[in-house]
Amino acid sequence: MKHGFGFGQFFVRFLVMLYLMEIYDIGFLDWVLLTHSNFFPHFCPELKGITGPLQFGYNRKEHVLHFILYIPTSAVIAWVCTLF
């Protein structure tokens, strides 16, 4: 941790990190690996026909919940960081 960082600087850093992580999860893991590649069916043949582009967005509510929960989570982590 760098000295001299305020609550706002920590908050923005953590919020950006968490949002980028979620966007990566949606963009790469869900879009590419689950729906547009043969990655999982290659290793687990019983998944053939289950995964595909129609399955994209099946956990949309969970992603929206994550985006909302990241705001208070970032605030708490930023507050803890300002205590040190």
Side-chain angles (χ1 to χ4, degrees):
M1 287 188 277
K2 293 193 173 233
H3 296 288
F5 274 27
F7 174 81
Q9 291 169 316
F10 279 122
F11 176 74
V12 170
R13 280 182 175 226
F14 288 121
L15 193 62
V16 167
M17 284 190 289
L18 290 171
Y19 279 175
L20 288 176
M21 179 186 68
E22 191 71 20
I23 291 168
Y24 173 79
D25 176 37
I26 295 168
F28 181 72
L29 298 177
D30 290 353
W31 180 256
V32 175
L33 285 183
L34 287 177
T35 62
H36 288 88
S37 73
N38 197 28
F39 181 78
F40 290 108
H42 176 73
F43 295 105
C44 302
E46 63 271 9
L47 294 176
K48 275 202 188 306
I50 295 175
T51 60
L54 296 175
Q55 295 295 321
F56 183 71
Y58 71 94
N59 56 354
R60 188 173 295 137
K61 290 180 186 176
E62 186 175 329
H63 288 305
V64 170
L65 180 65
H66 287 172
F67 274 104
I68 294 169
L69 289 177
Y70 287 159
I71 295 170
T73 303
S74 295
V76 169
I77 296 171
W79 174 71
V80 169
C81 288
T82 58
L83 296 177
F84 293 111

